[in-house]
Amino acid sequence: DTEGLLRIKEENQKHYRRAQRHQEKKEKIQRHNRKLGDLVEKKTYDLKTQYEHLANLRRSHILELTSVIFPIQEVKTSMRDPADVSSESDNAMTSSTVSKLAEARRTTYLSGRWVCDDHNGDTSISITGPWIILPNNGDYSAYYSWVEEKKTTQGPDMEHNNPAHTISAALCYATQLVNTLSLILDVNLPKKLCNRQVKTQQRNHEFCGENLSRHRFTRAVKKLNANILHLCFSQHVNLDLLHPLHTLRNLMYLVSPDTENLGR
């Protein structure tokens, strides 16, 4: 029993010494983890600072791009409110007629259905200049109507102010701007739209190349609108401001200096 007791005491001392070594190793690991934690915290702060710096650079590049090369702004139209016209021209017009005229002015026949748009008739959105504008309500039917008319009309096109020309040019510039923004923001676009002329037909520009049929034109516009919305979502643009048909207006909200997260 005495010999067994001595053996047990010796084993207990060995376990005690091993426990001390393990405790020292544990404390060493804890000190190392604390150092790593401090280092990770510092690196995280540095990374966040670099992200903020990168966001500011992207923001400054975008604001410079949209102020010098691709300015986007609202263009007021000269259309007057029916209530004002009625009060001046016909004092006998009833209030119900005035309200019906105002409601009709806010309604547009778009793609086989009537669409209510409060901005319709009040403003248009221009890009690169006040002469290149898009209808605010997203009704680009003037383009394919012009294309269909050209197919049946012989001779050169002398209508330099044809709205189909400005629609095509505005969509072309919008495509160029969207593709450039995706590069600056490092955001992959869900739809592929070419913005330059290439010899092969597969890489031809969607809007500034040959005259597009109604189906191809509508499909290209939908792809462009999808890319714009994708960029707006990536930059946390207020969803209440966006509309799936408002091409340039959505772009204007995206690149606005008031967009807090622009460049993220």
Side-chain angles (χ1 to χ4, degrees), residues 174-190:
T175 303
Q176 293 178 348
L177 177 57
V178 167
N179 289 344
T180 305
L181 290 176
S182 69
L183 294 176
I184 296 176
L185 295 172
D186 194 22
V187 175
N188 293 325
L189 297 176

PDB file of all heavy atoms in Angstrom, residues 174-190:
ATOM      1  N   ALA A 174     -26.860  56.662 -73.248  1.00  0.00           N
ATOM      2  CA  ALA A 174     -27.171  56.013 -71.974  1.00  0.00           C
ATOM      3  C   ALA A 174     -26.466  54.665 -71.862  1.00  0.00           C
ATOM      4  O   ALA A 174     -25.955  54.302 -70.796  1.00  0.00           O
ATOM      5  CB  ALA A 174     -28.690  55.837 -71.830  1.00  0.00           C
ATOM      6  N   THR A 175     -26.409  53.919 -72.973  1.00  0.00           N
ATOM      7  CA  THR A 175     -25.705  52.632 -72.969  1.00  0.00           C
ATOM      8  C   THR A 175     -24.221  52.826 -72.708  1.00  0.00           C
ATOM      9  O   THR A 175     -23.603  52.095 -71.926  1.00  0.00           O
ATOM     10  CB  THR A 175     -25.907  51.918 -74.311  1.00  0.00           C
ATOM     11  OG1 THR A 175     -27.314  51.753 -74.551  1.00  0.00           O
ATOM     12  CG2 THR A 175     -25.252  50.546 -74.299  1.00  0.00           C
ATOM     13  N   GLN A 176     -23.619  53.815 -73.363  1.00  0.00           N
ATOM     14  CA  GLN A 176     -22.199  54.106 -73.136  1.00  0.00           C
ATOM     15  C   GLN A 176     -21.952  54.476 -71.676  1.00  0.00           C
ATOM     16  O   GLN A 176     -20.981  54.009 -71.065  1.00  0.00           O
ATOM     17  CB  GLN A 176     -21.741  55.240 -74.047  1.00  0.00           C
ATOM     18  CG  GLN A 176     -21.737  54.880 -75.523  1.00  0.00           C
ATOM     19  CD  GLN A 176     -21.316  56.041 -76.395  1.00  0.00           C
ATOM     20  OE1 GLN A 176     -21.242  57.172 -75.950  1.00  0.00           O
ATOM     21  NE2 GLN A 176     -21.048  55.759 -77.654  1.00  0.00           N
ATOM     22  N   LEU A 177     -22.824  55.321 -71.114  1.00  0.00           N
ATOM     23  CA  LEU A 177     -22.650  55.746 -69.730  1.00  0.00           C
ATOM     24  C   LEU A 177     -22.791  54.564 -68.775  1.00  0.00           C
ATOM     25  O   LEU A 177     -22.001  54.418 -67.826  1.00  0.00           O
ATOM     26  CB  LEU A 177     -23.667  56.838 -69.391  1.00  0.00           C
ATOM     27  CG  LEU A 177     -23.671  57.337 -67.947  1.00  0.00           C
ATOM     28  CD1 LEU A 177     -22.297  57.868 -67.542  1.00  0.00           C
ATOM     29  CD2 LEU A 177     -24.737  58.407 -67.741  1.00  0.00           C
ATOM     30  N   VAL A 178     -23.781  53.702 -68.996  1.00  0.00           N
ATOM     31  CA  VAL A 178     -24.006  52.555 -68.107  1.00  0.00           C
ATOM     32  C   VAL A 178     -22.808  51.619 -68.131  1.00  0.00           C
ATOM     33  O   VAL A 178     -22.343  51.144 -67.088  1.00  0.00           O
ATOM     34  CB  VAL A 178     -25.303  51.828 -68.497  1.00  0.00           C
ATOM     35  CG1 VAL A 178     -25.402  50.482 -67.811  1.00  0.00           C
ATOM     36  CG2 VAL A 178     -26.512  52.675 -68.138  1.00  0.00           C
ATOM     37  N   ASN A 179     -22.285  51.335 -69.324  1.00  0.00           N
ATOM     38  CA  ASN A 179     -21.122  50.450 -69.415  1.00  0.00           C
ATOM     39  C   ASN A 179     -19.896  51.058 -68.748  1.00  0.00           C
ATOM     40  O   ASN A 179     -19.104  50.351 -68.119  1.00  0.00           O
ATOM     41  CB  ASN A 179     -20.824  50.134 -70.881  1.00  0.00           C
ATOM     42  CG  ASN A 179     -21.864  49.221 -71.512  1.00  0.00           C
ATOM     43  OD1 ASN A 179     -22.635  48.580 -70.810  1.00  0.00           O
ATOM     44  ND2 ASN A 179     -21.896  49.170 -72.827  1.00  0.00           N
ATOM     45  N   THR A 180     -19.733  52.367 -68.862  1.00  0.00           N
ATOM     46  CA  THR A 180     -18.605  53.026 -68.200  1.00  0.00           C
ATOM     47  C   THR A 180     -18.781  53.020 -66.680  1.00  0.00           C
ATOM     48  O   THR A 180     -17.821  52.790 -65.931  1.00  0.00           O
ATOM     49  CB  THR A 180     -18.473  54.478 -68.702  1.00  0.00           C
ATOM     50  OG1 THR A 180     -18.370  54.489 -70.118  1.00  0.00           O
ATOM     51  CG2 THR A 180     -17.225  55.140 -68.113  1.00  0.00           C
ATOM     52  N   LEU A 181     -20.009  53.241 -66.213  1.00  0.00           N
ATOM     53  CA  LEU A 181     -20.272  53.205 -64.773  1.00  0.00           C
ATOM     54  C   LEU A 181     -20.004  51.821 -64.196  1.00  0.00           C
ATOM     55  O   LEU A 181     -19.501  51.699 -63.072  1.00  0.00           O
ATOM     56  CB  LEU A 181     -21.721  53.619 -64.494  1.00  0.00           C
ATOM     57  CG  LEU A 181     -22.079  55.086 -64.736  1.00  0.00           C
ATOM     58  CD1 LEU A 181     -23.564  55.311 -64.517  1.00  0.00           C
ATOM     59  CD2 LEU A 181     -21.261  56.003 -63.844  1.00  0.00           C
ATOM     60  N   SER A 182     -20.337  50.774 -64.949  1.00  0.00           N
ATOM     61  CA  SER A 182     -20.092  49.419 -64.446  1.00  0.00           C
ATOM     62  C   SER A 182     -18.600  49.170 -64.271  1.00  0.00           C
ATOM     63  O   SER A 182     -18.190  48.444 -63.353  1.00  0.00           O
ATOM     64  CB  SER A 182     -20.695  48.393 -65.404  1.00  0.00           C
ATOM     65  OG  SER A 182     -19.981  48.356 -66.631  1.00  0.00           O
ATOM     66  N   LEU A 183     -17.772  49.750 -65.140  1.00  0.00           N
ATOM     67  CA  LEU A 183     -16.321  49.603 -64.994  1.00  0.00           C
ATOM     68  C   LEU A 183     -15.813  50.388 -63.786  1.00  0.00           C
ATOM     69  O   LEU A 183     -14.980  49.903 -63.022  1.00  0.00           O
ATOM     70  CB  LEU A 183     -15.619  50.074 -66.272  1.00  0.00           C
ATOM     71  CG  LEU A 183     -15.875  49.245 -67.536  1.00  0.00           C
ATOM     72  CD1 LEU A 183     -15.187  49.882 -68.733  1.00  0.00           C
ATOM     73  CD2 LEU A 183     -15.378  47.819 -67.349  1.00  0.00           C
ATOM     74  N   ILE A 184     -16.301  51.603 -63.627  1.00  0.00           N
ATOM     75  CA  ILE A 184     -15.843  52.429 -62.504  1.00  0.00           C
ATOM     76  C   ILE A 184     -16.267  51.818 -61.172  1.00  0.00           C
ATOM     77  O   ILE A 184     -15.485  51.757 -60.218  1.00  0.00           O
ATOM     78  CB  ILE A 184     -16.381  53.859 -62.647  1.00  0.00           C
ATOM     79  CG1 ILE A 184     -15.801  54.535 -63.897  1.00  0.00           C
ATOM     80  CG2 ILE A 184     -16.054  54.696 -61.405  1.00  0.00           C
ATOM     81  CD1 ILE A 184     -16.353  55.916 -64.166  1.00  0.00           C
ATOM     82  N   LEU A 185     -17.510  51.352 -61.107  1.00  0.00           N
ATOM     83  CA  LEU A 185     -18.040  50.802 -59.853  1.00  0.00           C
ATOM     84  C   LEU A 185     -17.653  49.341 -59.647  1.00  0.00           C
ATOM     85  O   LEU A 185     -17.911  48.794 -58.574  1.00  0.00           O
ATOM     86  CB  LEU A 185     -19.563  50.925 -59.845  1.00  0.00           C
ATOM     87  CG  LEU A 185     -20.114  52.351 -59.846  1.00  0.00           C
ATOM     88  CD1 LEU A 185     -21.619  52.338 -60.029  1.00  0.00           C
ATOM     89  CD2 LEU A 185     -19.744  53.074 -58.557  1.00  0.00           C
ATOM     90  N   ASP A 186     -17.066  48.709 -60.667  1.00  0.00           N
ATOM     91  CA  ASP A 186     -16.691  47.301 -60.589  1.00  0.00           C
ATOM     92  C   ASP A 186     -17.915  46.430 -60.295  1.00  0.00           C
ATOM     93  O   ASP A 186     -17.911  45.577 -59.406  1.00  0.00           O
ATOM     94  CB  ASP A 186     -15.606  47.081 -59.528  1.00  0.00           C
ATOM     95  CG  ASP A 186     -14.947  45.716 -59.657  1.00  0.00           C
ATOM     96  OD1 ASP A 186     -15.013  45.135 -60.755  1.00  0.00           O
ATOM     97  OD2 ASP A 186     -14.381  45.225 -58.664  1.00  0.00           O
ATOM     98  N   VAL A 187     -18.986  46.676 -61.046  1.00  0.00           N
ATOM     99  CA  VAL A 187     -20.232  45.929 -60.900  1.00  0.00           C
ATOM    100  C   VAL A 187     -20.534  45.245 -62.234  1.00  0.00           C
ATOM    101  O   VAL A 187     -20.589  45.903 -63.272  1.00  0.00           O
ATOM    102  CB  VAL A 187     -21.406  46.858 -60.512  1.00  0.00           C
ATOM    103  CG1 VAL A 187     -22.711  46.080 -60.478  1.00  0.00           C
ATOM    104  CG2 VAL A 187     -21.147  47.510 -59.165  1.00  0.00           C
ATOM    105  N   ASN A 188     -20.698  43.936 -62.208  1.00  0.00           N
ATOM    106  CA  ASN A 188     -21.032  43.191 -63.424  1.00  0.00           C
ATOM    107  C   ASN A 188     -22.501  43.397 -63.774  1.00  0.00           C
ATOM    108  O   ASN A 188     -23.377  43.241 -62.919  1.00  0.00           O
ATOM    109  CB  ASN A 188     -20.747  41.703 -63.243  1.00  0.00           C
ATOM    110  CG  ASN A 188     -19.266  41.427 -63.100  1.00  0.00           C
ATOM    111  OD1 ASN A 188     -18.442  42.088 -63.712  1.00  0.00           O
ATOM    112  ND2 ASN A 188     -18.930  40.444 -62.277  1.00  0.00           N
ATOM    113  N   LEU A 189     -22.759  43.755 -65.024  1.00  0.00           N
ATOM    114  CA  LEU A 189     -24.129  43.997 -65.471  1.00  0.00           C
ATOM    115  C   LEU A 189     -24.807  42.681 -65.843  1.00  0.00           C
ATOM    116  O   LEU A 189     -24.181  41.798 -66.423  1.00  0.00           O
ATOM    117  CB  LEU A 189     -24.126  44.936 -66.675  1.00  0.00           C
ATOM    118  CG  LEU A 189     -23.569  46.338 -66.418  1.00  0.00           C
ATOM    119  CD1 LEU A 189     -23.542  47.140 -67.712  1.00  0.00           C
ATOM    120  CD2 LEU A 189     -24.377  47.072 -65.362  1.00  0.00           C
ATOM    121  N   PRO A 190     -26.097  42.545 -65.550  1.00  0.00           N
ATOM    122  CA  PRO A 190     -26.793  41.282 -65.862  1.00  0.00           C
ATOM    123  C   PRO A 190     -27.058  41.093 -67.349  1.00  0.00           C
ATOM    124  O   PRO A 190     -27.156  39.971 -67.815  1.00  0.00           O
ATOM    125  CB  PRO A 190     -28.103  41.406 -65.076  1.00  0.00           C
ATOM    126  CG  PRO A 190     -28.322  42.876 -64.937  1.00  0.00           C
ATOM    127  CD  PRO A 190     -26.956  43.490 -64.820  1.00  0.00           C
TER     128      PRO A 190
END
